C-alpha cells in the first residue's frame, strides 16, 4: 500500500509539473482529472451478455476484420478466411489458403520465423456476383487471389493468383489499409520485404518514392468519397526541422480518375493528384497540447453536426510512445479537409530552410490536386509543381475546437474507435455514440455531446467495460454492426450489445447515465433500439424518460424506492463506484451521488449549490463515519479498485474539506455496523464522491487545477 500511494503521488506530481509547464500558464481548466465512468462493467458482467471467437488457439492469428456481409463478419486470419455469424460469433464457413511449402521454405531461409512464414489474409474485397478478391502475406511473398462462388454448392473456388506486392504487406502486423472504389483496389502499404518502400497504389499507379509523399507512414484507414479517395496515417514529418523526429497525423487525397504524369521525369506511373495535410488534434490552451499520433479512424459518418449536414471522421490520437500516455478522440469534417487541400501549398525552397507557404500566384493552372479528365495531358509545369508540392500549408482544424474526450494515464492508451452514428433520443435529438478501445483490453463508451450544442460540455464517460481479464491486450479494431460492438484482438474477436441499460435500477440513475441508448420506462431502464426506427413515443408523460443533454429529468420521482435484485441473480460488483444494496436506507445517497456528480455540475444557482454542499457535508460526515468503519472489512476481502489504472481513488483528500475517513482507514479496528449487509463486497465511495462532486460544483475544482488524484485529465 505504501508503494501504491507513492506511485500515486509520483504520478500526480509528474503530471502536474509536466502538463503545468506545457500548458498551464493561465488557462488551467483543461487539465482536470479523467472523466469518471458512470458505469464500470467488470469482466464477469461483460461475459454474461457477450460472445467470443478464438480461432485456432495454438498459434497467433493476427485477426483482421475485413468486410461485413449482412449479419456475418469476414475475418482474415492465419491461412484462413473466417465467415462468422453475428451476434453469436459462430463459424459459418471458412476458406483455407495456406502458403505453398516452397514459399515457406524461401521465407524461412530469409530469416523469418515459422509464425511469420504463414499466409495472413489482410485484404478482402467483395465484388459483384459474390466473388471475392483476397490478398495475403503468403509467407513474406504477398499474393492476391480471386474466389468465385459456385452458386450450386455455395462454396468458393480459388481462381487465379496474381502478385500482391503493393496491395498487401509482407508482415501481418504492418499497419496497412485498402479500399475498393469503382472497380479498383486502392491499397496503402509497403512494397518490399524490408518495409522501407511505403506507397499508395492502384494497379499501375503509385506514390512517388520522394519522402515528401510518404515518410515511414503507419496507415490507419481509407475511404472513397466523390471524386477522391482519402487515406489516413501518421508519419515522420519532413517539415519538422528541429532536432529529433516528429510524428504528424495526416490525411492524404488522390483523384479516382488520376492517370499519372508523363514520363519518369514528370510523375509517369505516379499519382499526379496526391496531396496531404496535417490533422490537428489538440487540447486548447495558450499553448495547445498536441496529440500527434493517429491510431485509428471511425470511417465516414454522415449526419447533422452543429445543425449542418456534414460528413465527419472520428479518430483516436495519442502522444508519442516515450512520453506520458495521453489519448484523445477528435472529430474532423471532410469539408475542412477539402478546404485545406484547396488552400495554400507549403514548400522548402532550399535544404535547411524553413517550410513556408507558397503564394497562390505561383501555383500553375489547372491547380494540382484537382481532378482533371486526363492527367497525362497536364502541362509540364503543373506536373513539375505537383512533383515538388505535396504538403498543404493549412492544417485541418478539429471540430468544436477541442477533443470529444481526453484521457491521460501513466501507461494506458486508446487504440481503436467505432461510432454508433446519429442515435435518436426520445426528444428527437441525434447523438453519435462513441466506443473507444484501449491497449489494456477495455472498451469505453462515450457520447459526442457537442453535436447539437455549441456551449462547452464536459465529456461524459458512460461505460467502461473490462473486456479482457488477464493478459490484457490491445483492442486492434472496433466496429459497430447493428446493435453489436465488435472488438478485434490479435487472437480473439468479441461481440457485445451496444448497451447495458438494464443495470441501472432507478429513474435517476438511468437518466444520469446520459446514454442515448437508454431511457426509463415501465419501472425499468430500457434500451431504445435505434435500428427499429419509426417508434413514436407517447408524449403525455407516460413515455420513456431520458435526458442526454442534462442528465436529469424532473419526471423522475424525488425519492425513489428502488428495488435491487437479490444477490443470487445479480452478478458481482458491476458498478464499482455505486453501492448495490438491498436495504432501503442507502438509495437516497445513491441518488444524490448520481445527481451531484452529473446533474448539478451545470447548475448555476449558487443557492442550490450551497445548500447541497451543506447538506451533503452533514450527511456525508455522518454516513462517512459509518462507511469508513465498514470499509475496513470490505477492504480486507475485496480486490481493491485502487489497483486498476482506471479506478477513481482518493488517496489525498482535498485540503479544507472535512474528510470523514480516519487518516489511515485501513489500519482502523475492524467494525462492521449491523445495518450493512455482510455480503456487500464493494468499497463504498458515497461520501467521498459527494464531497468531491460538491466541491467541484462549488467551483473549487477550477481554482485548483489538478486535483490530487491518481489520474489527471485535460
Ligand atoms: C491450428 O494451427 C495448427 C498449425 O497451423 C494446425 O495444425 C491446426 O490444424 C490448427 N487447428 C485448427 C483447429 O484449425
Ligand atoms: C457468410 O455466411 C453467411 C451465412 O452462412 C452467408 O449468407 C454469406 O453468403 C457468407 N458470406 C461469404 C462471403 O462467404
Ligand atoms: C502498427 O501500429 C501499432 C499501434 O500504433 C504499433 O504498436 C505497431 O508497432 C505498428 N506496426 C508496425 C509494424 O509498425
Ligand atoms: C514513378 O513510379 C515509378 C515506379 O512505377 C518509379 O520508378 C519512378 O521513379 C517514379 N517517378 C517519380 C518521379 O518518382
Ligand atoms: C491546432 O489548433 C489550435 C486551436 O485552433 C491552434 O491553437 C494550434 O496552433 C493548432 N496547431 C497546429 C499544429 O496547427
Ligand atoms: C471532361 O470530360 C467531360 C465528359 O467526359 C466533358 O463534359 C468535359 O468538358 C471535359 N472537361 C475538360 C476540361 O476537358
Amino acid at each position: 500500500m505504501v508503494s501504491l500511494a507513492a506511485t500515486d503521488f509520483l504520478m500526480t506530481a509528474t503530471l502536474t509539473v509536466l502538463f503545468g509547464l506545457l500548458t498551464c500558464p493561465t488557462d488551467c481548466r483543461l487539465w482536470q482529472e479523467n472523466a469518471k465512468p458512470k458505469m464500470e462493467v467488470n469482466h464477469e458482467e461483460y461475459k454474461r451478455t457477450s460472445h467470443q471467437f478464438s480461432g485456432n488457439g495454438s498459434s497467433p492469428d493476427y485477426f483482421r476484420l475485413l468486410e461485413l456481409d449482412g449479419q456475418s463478419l469476414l475475418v482474415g486470419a492465419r491461412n484462413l478466411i473466417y465467415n462468422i455469424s453475428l451476434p453469436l460469433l459462430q463459424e459459418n464457413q471458412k476458406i483455407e489458403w495456406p502458403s505453398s511449402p516452397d514459399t515457406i521454405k524461401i521465407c524461412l531461409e530469409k530469416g523469418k520465423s515459422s509464425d511469420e512464414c504463414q499466409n495472413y489474409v489482410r485484404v478482402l474485397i467483395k465484388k459483384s456476383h459474390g466473388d471475392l478478391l483476397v490478398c495475403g502475406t503468403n509467407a513474406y511473398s504477398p499474393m492476391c487471389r480471386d474466389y468465385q462462388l459456385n452458386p450450386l454448392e455455395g462454396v468458393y473456388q480459388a481462381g487465379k493468383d496474381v502478385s500482391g506486392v503493393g496491395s498487401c504487406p509482407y508482415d501481418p502486423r504492418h499497419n496497412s489499409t485498402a479500399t475498393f472504389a469503382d472497380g479498383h483496389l486502392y491499397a496503402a502499404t509497403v512494397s518490399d520485404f524490408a518495409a522501407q518502400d511505403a506507397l499508395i497504389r492502384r494497379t499501375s499507379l503509385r506514390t512517388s518514392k520522394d519522402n515528401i509523399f510518404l515518410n515511414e507512414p503507419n496507415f490507419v484507414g481509407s475511404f472513397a468519397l466523390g471524386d477522391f479517395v482519402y487515406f489516413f496515417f501518421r508519419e515522420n514529418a519532413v517539415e519538422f526541422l528541429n532536432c529529433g523526429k516528429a510524428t504528424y497525423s495526416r490525411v492524404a487525397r488522390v483523384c479516382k480518375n488520376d492517370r499519372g504524369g508523363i514520363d519518369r521525369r514528370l510523375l509517369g506511373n505516379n499519382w499526379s493528384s496526391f496531396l496531404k495535410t496535417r490533422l490537428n488534434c489538440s487540447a486548447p490552451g495558450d499553448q495547445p497540447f498536441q496529440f500527434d499520433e493517429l491510431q485509428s479512424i471511425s470511417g465516414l459518418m454522415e449526419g447533422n453536426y452543429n445543425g449542418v449536414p456534414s460528413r465527419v471522421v472520428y479518430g483516436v490520437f495519442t502522444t508519442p510512445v516515450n512520453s506520458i500516455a495521453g489519448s484523445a478522440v477528435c472529430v474532423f469534417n471532410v469539408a475542412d479537409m477539402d478546404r485545406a487541400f484547396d488552400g495554400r501549398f507549403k514548400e522548402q525552397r532550399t535544404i535547411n530552410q524553413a517550410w513556408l507557404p507558397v503564394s497562390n500566384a505561383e501555383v500553375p493552372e489547372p491547380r494540382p490536386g484537382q481532378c482533371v479528365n486526363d492527367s497525362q495531358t497536364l502541362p509540364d509545369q503543373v506536373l513539375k509543381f505537383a512533383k515538388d508540392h505535396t504538403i498543404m500549408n493549412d492544417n485541418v482544424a478539429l471540430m468544436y475546437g477541442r477533443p470529444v474526450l481526453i484521457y491521460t494515464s501513466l501507461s494506458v492508451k486508446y487504440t481503436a474507435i467505432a461510432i454508433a452514428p446519429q442515435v435518436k433520443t426520445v426528444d428527437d435529438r441525434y447523438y453519435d455514440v462513441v466506443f473507444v478501445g484501449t491497449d489494456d483490453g477495455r472498451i469505453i463508451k462515450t457520447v459526442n455531446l457537442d453535436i447539437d450544442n455549441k456551449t462547452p460540455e464536459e465529456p461524459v464517460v458512460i461505460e467502461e467495460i473490462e473486456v479482457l481479464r488477464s493478459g490484457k491486450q490491445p483492442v486492434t479494431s472496433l466496429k459497430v454492426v447493428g446493435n453489436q460492438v465488435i472488438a478485434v484482438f490479435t487472437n480473439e474477436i468479441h461481440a457485445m450489445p451496444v448497451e447495458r441499460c438494464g443495470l441501472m435500477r432507478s429513474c435517476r440513475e438511468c437518466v444520469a447515465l446520459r446514454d442515448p441508448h437508454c431511457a426509463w420506462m415501465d419501472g425499468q431502464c430500457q434500451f431504445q433500439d435505434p435500428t427499429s426506427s419509426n417508434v413514436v413515443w407517447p408524449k403525455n408523460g407516460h413515455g420513456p424518460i431520458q435526458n442526454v443533454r442534462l442528465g436529469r429529468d424532473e419526471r423522475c420521482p424525488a425519492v425513489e424506492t428502488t428495488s435491487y435484485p437479490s444477490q443470487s441473480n445479480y452478478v458481482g460488483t458491476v458498478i464499482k463506484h455505486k453501492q448495490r444494496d438491498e436495504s432501503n436506507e442507502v438509495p437516497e445517497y445513491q441518488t444524490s451521488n448520481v445527481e451531484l456528480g452529473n446533474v448539478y455540475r451545470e447548475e448555476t444557482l449558487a443557492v442550490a449549490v450551497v445548500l447541497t454542499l451543506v447538506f451533503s457535508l452533514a450527511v456525508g460526515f455522518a454516513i462517512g463515519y459509518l462507511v469508513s468503519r465498514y470499509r475496513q472489512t470490505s477492504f480486507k476481502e475485496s480486490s481493491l479498485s485502487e489497483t486498476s489504472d482506471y479506478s477513481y481513488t482518493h488517496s489525498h483528500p482535498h485540503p479544507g474539506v472535512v474528510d470523514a475517513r480516519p487518516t489511515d482507514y485501513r489500519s482502523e479496528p475492524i467494525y462492521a455496523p449491523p445495518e450493512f449487509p455482510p455480503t456487500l463486497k464493494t468499497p463504498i465511495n458515497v461520501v467521498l464522491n459527494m464531497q468531491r462532486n460538491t466541491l467541484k460544483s462549488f467551483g473549487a475544482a477550477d481554482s485548483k487545477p489538478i486535483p490530487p488524484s491518481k489520474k489527471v485529465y485535460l
Side-chain angles (χ1 to χ4, degrees):
M1 279 308 154
V2 172
S3 68
L4 229 176
T7 320
D8 208 352
F9 177 76
L10 199 67
M11 166 153 181
T12 306
T14 317
L15 289 180
T16 309
V17 170
L18 267 178
F19 287 146
L21 286 178
L22 283 171
T23 67
C24 218
T26 55
D27 182 10
C28 288
R29 286 203 49 154
L30 200 61
W31 302 93
Q32 295 168 349
E33 66 211 277
N34 290 323
K36 191 175 74 170
K38 309 224 167 184
M39 202 202 290
E40 289 183 58
V41 179
N42 67 14
H43 184 69
E44 277 69 40
E45 177 58 31
Y46 164 78
K47 274 207 316 213
R48 279 193 333 127
T49 55
S50 65
H51 299 278
Q52 188 184 334
F53 178 82
S54 291
N56 184 335
S58 64
S59 46
D61 264 310
Y62 298 114
F63 281 139
R64 185 163 296 184
L65 177 54
L66 298 172
E67 271 283 342
L68 299 176
D69 188 9
Q71 281 294 296
S72 305
L73 310 176
L74 302 179
V75 175
R78 177 186 173 114
N79 304 326
L80 281 171
I81 303 147
Y82 286 108
N83 179 341
I84 305 170
S85 72
L86 273 178
L88 300 179
L89 297 188
Q90 281 162 351
E91 184 181 310
N92 292 329
Q93 264 169 299
K94 64 183 174 195
I95 301 174
E96 290 183 28
W97 179 16
S99 300
S100 72
D102 284 350
T103 316
I104 293 174
K105 191 162 158 260
I106 295 169
C107 176
L108 293 170
E109 279 166 6
K110 286 182 183 166
K112 295 293 171 186
S113 70
S114 69
D115 273 345
E116 289 170 312
C117 295
Q118 305 288 330
N119 186 24
Y120 296 95
V121 176
R122 303 293 86 172
V123 176
L124 185 148
I125 305 293
K126 243 175 59 201
K127 301 206 278 191
S128 51
H129 317 298
D131 290 358
L132 305 177
L133 168 66
V134 180
C135 305
T137 60
N138 188 33
Y140 271 73
S141 167
M143 188 73 83
C144 294
R145 176 180 273 192
D146 282 317
Y147 281 94
Q148 275 102 36
L149 183 63
N150 181 333
L152 295 178
E153 295 162 47
V155 293
Y156 282 95
Q157 283 164 346
K160 66 176 185 342
D161 286 356
V162 293
S163 165
V165 172
S167 302
C168 178
Y170 289 66
D171 180 341
R173 291 156 297 197
H174 189 268
N175 295 304
S176 301
T177 174
T179 198
F180 197 67
D182 300 354
H184 294 287
L185 176 68
Y186 292 78
T189 183
V190 283
S191 72
D192 63 332
F193 188 88
Q196 295 297 304
D197 181 28
L199 79 175
I200 292 175
R201 176 176 175 273
R202 183 195 73 203
T203 49
S204 61
L205 270 193
R206 57 160 293 160
T207 40
S208 166
K209 292 189 183 190
D210 192 322
N211 72 353
I212 65 166
F213 284 77
L214 297 168
N215 193 17
E216 298 174 41
N218 275 272
F219 297 101
V220 305
S222 53
F223 54 77
L225 176 66
D227 292 338
F228 302 102
V229 182
Y230 296 82
F231 296 88
F232 295 80
F233 53 99
R234 59 178 193 269
E235 66 168 355
N236 284 341
V238 287
E239 70 265 43
F240 181 80
L241 296 178
N242 300 339
C243 57
K245 278 185 181 179
T247 301
Y248 286 174
S249 298
R250 308 271 199 196
V251 54
R253 192 183 81 173
V254 295
C255 287
K256 280 181 188 169
N257 66 351
D258 196 341
R259 300 182 59 211
I262 304 162
D263 56 28
R264 282 194 80 79
R265 209 170 34 88
L266 290 173
L267 295 172
N269 286 335
N270 294 261
W271 298 105
S272 66
S273 59
F274 177 94
L275 298 178
K276 68 181 178 186
T277 190
R278 185 174 172 192
L279 297 169
N280 177 357
C281 177
S282 60
D286 282 356
Q287 289 164 289
F289 186 80
Q290 294 290 141
F291 297 88
D292 269 331
E293 304 206 351
L294 180 59
Q295 299 295 333
S296 168
I297 61 163
S298 64
L300 196 58
M301 300 292 141
E302 297 186 34
N304 277 311
Y305 295 85
N306 287 337
V308 184
S310 314
R311 294 191 175 91
V312 307
V313 178
Y314 285 76
V316 287
F317 295 75
T318 63
T319 52
V321 201
N322 51 7
S323 67
I324 283 196
S327 309
V329 175
C330 286
V331 193
F332 296 93
N333 195 328
V334 177
D336 290 338
M337 298 174 198
D338 288 339
R339 201 168 302 129
F341 291 129
D342 290 342
R344 287 184 297 175
F345 289 88
K346 201 179 225 177
E347 70 175 3
Q348 186 184 35
R349 284 266 154 100
T350 57
I351 202 108
N352 292 333
Q353 227 177 16
W355 286 74
L356 296 169
V358 180
S359 81
N360 279 334
E362 293 172 59
V363 180
E365 281 291 325
R367 192 189 148 86
Q370 275 171 353
C371 301
V372 292
N373 278 354
D374 184 355
S375 59
Q376 294 187 335
T377 63
L378 285 170
D380 280 11
Q381 68 189 57
V382 172
L383 291 170
K384 172 90 181 56
F385 188 91
K387 182 162 118 12
D388 298 332
H389 299 83
T390 58
I391 306 178
M392 307 312 297
N393 186 62
D394 296 335
N395 300 331
V396 186
L398 72 172
M399 289 179 81
Y400 320 113
R402 69 210 165 97
V404 169
L405 186 65
I406 293 175
Y407 178 77
T408 49
S409 106
L410 260 195
S411 54
V412 178
K413 284 186 182 178
Y414 292 168
T415 54
I417 188 165
I419 311 293
Q422 304 286 294
V423 177
K424 189 181 174 200
T425 60
V426 169
D427 57 352
D428 290 343
R429 293 166 189 272
Y430 291 84
Y431 291 97
D432 284 357
V433 176
V434 181
F435 295 90
V436 177
T438 70
D439 62 2
D440 71 343
R442 288 164 196 260
I443 295 177
I444 288 158
K445 180 180 186 180
T446 178
V447 56
N448 179 2
L449 292 169
D450 288 306
I451 214 157
D452 73 345
N453 190 348
K454 287 179 186 132
T455 60
E457 273 271 7
E458 273 188 56
V460 170
V461 173
I462 299 168
E463 289 183 67
E464 183 187 294
I465 302 145
E466 189 185 24
V467 175
L468 294 193
R469 158 60 62 77
S470 51
K472 286 185 171 167
Q473 292 209 338
V475 178
T476 57
S477 72
L478 275 181
K479 188 119 192 145
V480 176
V481 185
N483 290 328
Q484 296 284 315
V485 182
I486 315 300
V488 181
F489 297 87
T490 301
N491 295 310
E492 285 174 27
I493 295 175
H494 288 245
M496 67 169 193
V498 290
E499 51 72 44
R500 273 143 298 279
C501 308
L503 296 175
M504 296 290 103
R505 296 292 172 176
S506 73
C507 180
R508 283 176 176 230
E509 278 184 348
C510 185
V511 172
L513 199 57
R514 300 175 82 175
D515 185 338
H517 285 128
C518 303
W520 183 258
M521 197 164 91
D522 302 332
Q524 281 178 317
C525 194
Q526 293 190 12
F527 176 36
Q528 308 291 298
D529 187 347
T531 58
S532 67
S533 53
N534 305 324
V535 186
V536 182
W537 298 108
K539 292 262 152 62
N540 57 7
H542 297 298
I545 303 176
Q546 185 188 48
N547 197 326
V548 175
R549 209 162 52 85
L550 298 178
R552 61 168 190 273
D553 197 295
E554 61 218 12
R555 285 173 293 169
C556 287
V559 177
E560 290 180 287
T561 49
T562 50
S563 61
Y564 286 93
S566 68
Q567 218 75 23
S568 55
N569 61 26
Y570 192 79
V571 181
T573 52
V574 180
I575 295 142
K576 285 197 226 155
H577 64 276
K578 281 185 212 126
Q579 186 189 359
R580 289 294 175 193
D581 187 1
E582 274 181 278
S583 82
N584 280 330
E585 297 170 40
V586 193
E588 259 174 69
Y589 302 113
Q590 286 178 345
T591 46
S592 41
N593 175 21
V594 170
E595 194 176 292
L596 285 168
N598 310 313
V599 179
Y600 282 4
R601 187 176 292 169
E602 294 120 354
E603 203 61 66
T604 49
L605 290 175
V607 177
V609 175
V610 170
L611 284 179
T612 314
L613 177 71
V614 172
F615 173 78
S616 55
L617 278 181
V619 178
F621 187 86
I623 298 300
Y625 182 72
L626 295 175
V627 166
S628 64
R629 291 307 191 89
Y630 176 69
R631 278 172 79 104
Q632 300 6 300
T633 35
S634 52
F635 269 123
K636 287 254 154 175
E637 45 200 278
S638 62
S639 63
L640 277 182
S641 57
E642 262 103 318
T643 52
S644 156
D645 197 21
Y646 280 85
S647 66
Y648 185 85
T649 57
H650 302 262
S651 32
H652 315 282
H654 287 283
V657 176
V658 182
D659 190 348
R661 294 174 305 171
T663 323
D664 185 3
Y665 48 88
R666 281 167 207 139
S667 61
E668 276 282 295
I670 294 162
Y671 165 65
E675 304 92 85
F676 290 93
T679 47
L680 190 69
K681 290 260 168 55
T682 323
I684 301 162
N685 264 348
V686 175
V687 178
L688 312 174
N689 288 338
M690 282 173 70
Q691 289 178 347
R692 174 172 211 93
N693 293 324
T694 312
L695 191 74
K696 192 183 274 172
S697 57
F698 204 56
D702 294 345
S703 60
K704 192 170 183 307
I706 319 262
S709 94
K710 194 167 175 189
K711 294 176 300 178
V712 176
Y713 67 136
L714 331 168

